[in-house]
Amino acid sequence: MRLHPVFISAFSVLSVATMFPVQSGQTKYIEPPMASIPKGTFVMGSEQGREDEKPTRKVSVPAFQMAKYEVTVAEYRKFIEATGYEYTQGCAHRIGRRWFGSGERDGTWGDNIYVLSEFHPVVCVSRKDAVNYAKWLSKVSGKHYRLPTEAEWEYAARAGTTSKYYFGDEGKSQNACRYSNVADLHAYSLTEKLYNASYSDGYTVNDCNDNEVLISTVGLYEPNHFGVYDMIGNVVERVADCYKGSYQGAPTDGSAVKEKGCEVYVGRGGSWHWAAHTSSQRMSINEDFIAALEGFRLVRDTNGKDIPASEGTPWFVKKLSAVQKKVKTKHVRENPKYPTKPKNLKVVSQDNGNNKVTWQSADKGKVTGYQVYRQDPLKNVSTLLAKNHKTAHFIDKNPLQHNARYHVIALNGDAKSLPSASADSGSKTAHVIPSRIQGEAFNFAPGVDVINSGFEPESDKVISSIGKSKASYILAAKEAGKYKMDIRLFHSGADQRYWIKVNGNVITTPALSGERGWKTIQGVEVNLSKGRHTLTVQGEAPLFAVNWFDIQKM
């Protein structure tokens, strides 16, 4: 199955979409299609979200209109042509191994790799550019357009829902691609081939297919109940509010948070580059920041009057509808069907020393094979053990002598699923002490990641990223007595606790405090009898990691 034609077809839209009908030259500006947003009260924020989404509060929002789509290249072009506006330059937009840090800051609103058509969202615009566009459109149309307040944005995005996402809670995450252009299976499969950029390291990807690799034509996906499109994904949307680290003291009447001399503002909705953002998720964007993931959407201020939805400039709406239909047809004709990731991966050590790996397929009808990978945690290196395995079980006849970590990818021809959850073989081999034990040399640690650290010496950069999980190590003490333990830990910068347990008993350890970074905790004492013991470390914050334990006899 060929994958590259879908990327080529995305560019083929350009030749059609940029050829405006005659009417486009006869309109000095484009009136955006607007949805009618009724007045209402909702609970803003989330007590289950990040700290800047708290505290939740009831907010009453007057009626207004919101643009159905993010502002497009075509709309913004009218502004530039009519005013000769001196637009912002120096946008980082090129993609490479380091994603957006891979090229010069040489982009502008009309000259960047995301100008795939006139009907894609405009990016590489600053907040000042967006505000000036809204002022111009207000002047020429006689209507009051502006950036939405953050409360208006979240109210419109939720559209009456109270769930984590507009489309439901965590269990409904596969629905993200029905409503949005996000980091998905299609982008996961193609970005490394096309741009030498990978979603595999540290990225969360929605297990669904939205059929787009990069930014997409506006309005391709389903709208919410208010008739607004692309509120999740595609491009980050700038709003009017000054960013604060919490909602303490924030207004409850739907107005914006303002501060004289504000330098950091709020962005909402996420982008094509990330997994779906929740309805309450926030971003902070510096006043002068300009990049390729950020665009904007307008609202029309109606002074609280409930005004019916408006269709917008006819030729624009007609042309956009034709382009949307064309792109959707190409999606169906050219894009592959991606399998969902295998489930219930298990590893069993057999009597003959082999490891048997088993799993279940969620899409038996469209799976042509599997790739089986084994990670060596001590080196943080993954090895492809089977390239196109046909059954839902695999025997590793040359297993590692220490703990090994396995994962499986389902195939449908060239189309791949996301990796399954990993499973460890575990290890009963004890670490003889006194010795230094590397954090990644755990005997069992469900949910713990092994990653490379850029802050440790090159010779010792592999670490165990524990987060809120726990890792366990089997110790074998050569002799009974008192031992002293030094521990190299990473923490997030906020005061946090962690727990060290020996045979289930908590050893008192100092809390992590001070600046964010690596800390060496020294002189933790423990009495051990001769023989085997289990050492367990557990954190309470997402950014918590272990480089090593150094356990010596006193």
Side-chain angles (χ1 to χ4, degrees):
M1 181 174 292
R2 297 178 300 156
L3 295 184
H4 285 278
V6 69
F7 181 73
I8 296 171
S9 71
F11 283 98
S12 69
V13 177
L14 179 65
S15 61
V16 176
T18 55
M19 295 173 61
F20 284 1
V22 175
Q23 298 96 308
S24 67
Q26 297 174 352
T27 59
K28 296 180 180 180
Y29 61 92
I30 298 171
E31 287 252 32
M34 304 296 288
S36 179
I37 311 298
K39 69 177 181 180
T41 299
F42 77 112
V43 176
M44 186 171 178
S46 171
E47 291 299 334
Q48 286 71 51
R50 301 184 306 187
E51 288 305 309
D52 66 352
E53 299 170 36
K54 305 171 187 176
T56 59
R57 68 199 194 285
K58 282 188 176 181
V59 178
S60 295
V61 180
F64 64 100
Q65 285 191 326
M66 174 170 270
K68 292 182 179 180
Y69 311 115
E70 294 151 338
V71 174
T72 62
V73 173
E75 293 167 275
Y76 198 76
R77 189 182 300 280
K78 289 289 186 181
F79 165 54
I80 299 297
E81 291 176 347
T83 64
Y85 179 74
E86 192 172 324
Y87 49 82
T88 307
Q89 303 185 45
C91 174
H93 63 105
R94 302 184 189 279
I95 301 175
R97 173 55 61 187
R98 294 183 295 123
W99 280 99
F100 306 103
S102 302
E104 298 295 325
R105 300 185 68 87
D106 59 353
T108 66
W109 74 270
D111 185 13
N112 62 74
I113 67 171
Y114 309 100
V115 185
L116 299 176
S117 83
E118 294 291 300
F119 298 96
H120 279 69
V122 66
V123 294
C124 290
V125 291
S126 69
R127 182 180 184 277
K128 179 181 177 182
D129 296 338
V131 169
N132 284 335
Y133 170 79
K135 289 179 178 178
W136 169 80
L137 185 60
S138 298
K139 181 179 179 180
V140 296
S141 68
K143 300 172 184 177
H144 184 192
Y145 291 102
R146 55 174 172 79
L147 294 181
T149 69
E150 188 175 13
E152 287 172 337
W153 192 97
E154 185 172 327
Y155 176 67
R158 288 185 179 278
T161 64
T162 58
S163 51
K164 185 174 183 179
Y165 305 95
Y166 162 73
F167 49 82
D169 287 310
E170 210 67 55
K172 299 289 186 179
S173 60
Q174 287 187 341
N175 286 341
C177 295
R178 288 177 52 193
Y179 299 97
S180 55
N181 174 21
V182 292
D184 70 320
L185 288 168
H186 197 51
Y188 173 81
S189 295
L190 287 181
T191 50
E192 191 154 17
K193 294 179 183 179
L194 299 173
Y195 301 109
N196 197 30
S198 174
Y199 278 104
S200 59
D201 297 327
Y203 281 93
T204 301
V205 176
N206 285 106
D207 194 5
C208 57
N209 178 18
D210 63 36
N211 294 291
E212 292 284 335
V213 177
L214 302 179
I215 194 172
S216 64
T217 302
V218 299
L220 287 184
Y221 307 98
E222 294 181 29
N224 67 14
H225 290 320
F226 283 162
V228 184
Y229 296 78
D230 304 317
M231 292 292 276
I232 305 170
N234 218 15
V235 296
V236 177
E237 298 180 13
R238 298 176 185 270
V239 298
D241 295 55
C242 188
Y243 176 83
K244 297 293 182 182
S246 82
Y247 285 137
Q248 196 69 45
T252 59
D253 60 356
S255 61
V257 173
K258 296 180 180 180
E259 184 178 87
K260 186 176 181 180
C262 181
E263 296 181 352
V264 183
Y265 288 83
V266 179
R268 284 298 203 119
S271 79
W272 59 267
H273 182 56
W274 301 309
H277 276 208
T278 68
S279 295
S280 57
Q281 195 165 340
R282 311 172 72 209
M283 293 176 58
S284 60
I285 307 176
N286 287 348
E287 161 76 5
D288 58 355
F289 182 76
I290 175 173
L293 296 181
E294 291 75 26
F296 65 105
R297 180 194 304 268
L298 297 181
V299 297
R300 180 187 170 193
D301 195 330
T302 64
N303 293 317
K305 294 180 180 179
D306 192 353
I307 297 178
S310 54
E311 294 301 317
T313 299
W315 72 260
F316 175 79
V317 174
K318 183 178 180 180
K319 191 62 181 178
L320 173 59
S321 178
V323 171
Q324 290 168 339
K325 184 176 180 180
K326 184 179 180 69
V327 175
K328 290 177 182 179
T329 299
K330 286 182 175 293
H331 286 172
V332 173
R333 185 173 67 243
E334 298 181 358
N335 287 3
K337 301 298 181 183
Y338 291 93
T340 54
K341 62 185 178 183
K343 299 180 179 179
N344 300 323
L345 191 74
K346 297 179 181 179
V347 184
V348 177
S349 297
Q350 299 182 309
D351 293 339
N352 59 6
N354 295 338
N355 286 337
K356 183 176 182 180
V357 186
T358 61
W359 59 90
Q360 293 179 345
S361 171
D363 307 284
K364 292 182 179 180
K366 59 181 180 182
V367 172
T368 59
Y370 302 93
Q371 291 179 342
V372 182
Y373 289 84
R374 182 185 67 201
Q375 181 192 25
D376 181 347
L378 299 187
K379 299 177 181 178
N380 194 21
V381 173
S382 290
T383 302
L384 178 60
L385 300 180
K387 189 175 183 179
N388 193 9
H389 192 67
K390 297 300 182 183
T391 61
H393 59 85
F394 176 81
I395 304 296
D396 184 359
K397 297 181 179 180
N398 296 291
L400 302 178
Q401 295 305 303
H402 50 271
N403 175 59
R405 177 163 285 180
Y406 298 85
H407 72 264
V408 178
I409 292 174
L411 304 174
N412 180 22
D414 289 338
K416 298 180 180 181
S417 74
L418 293 179
S420 68
S422 60
D424 288 358
S425 64
S427 174
K428 297 180 181 179
T429 303
H431 298 278
V432 178
I433 56 172
S435 66
R436 174 173 289 200
I437 303 169
Q438 298 300 320
E440 63 275 9
F442 47 78
N443 293 82
F444 43 93
V448 170
D449 293 326
V450 173
I451 62 175
N452 290 351
S453 171
F455 300 98
E456 294 292 85
E458 182 66 24
S459 60
D460 191 21
K461 65 180 181 179
V462 181
I463 63 170
S464 177
S465 181
I466 292 174
K468 296 182 180 181
S469 299
K470 60 184 179 180
S472 296
Y473 308 79
I474 299 175
L475 310 180
K478 286 184 176 180
E479 55 182 291
K482 183 174 286 188
Y483 288 80
K484 179 175 73 72
M485 189 187 322
D486 295 343
I487 316 165
R488 182 75 167 161
L489 302 175
F490 183 88
H491 80 111
S492 61
D495 288 359
Q496 62 177 272
R497 296 173 299 163
Y498 61 98
W499 294 269
I500 302 291
K501 299 179 182 179
V502 174
N503 302 326
N505 298 314
V506 176
I507 300 175
T508 301
T509 53
L512 292 171
S513 61
E515 294 182 3
R516 171 175 170 165
W518 287 99
K519 304 282 185 181
T520 301
I521 309 300
Q522 297 180 320
V524 178
E525 297 182 5
V526 59
N527 287 310
L528 297 176
S529 60
K530 182 179 179 180
R532 293 167 72 94
H533 304 273
T534 300
L535 171 70
T536 301
V537 59
Q538 183 174 3
E540 70 167 1
L543 292 177
F544 176 71
V546 175
N547 191 339
W548 46 257
F549 303 88
D550 193 354
I551 307 175
Q552 301 297 329
K553 184 77 166 53
M554 293 181 67

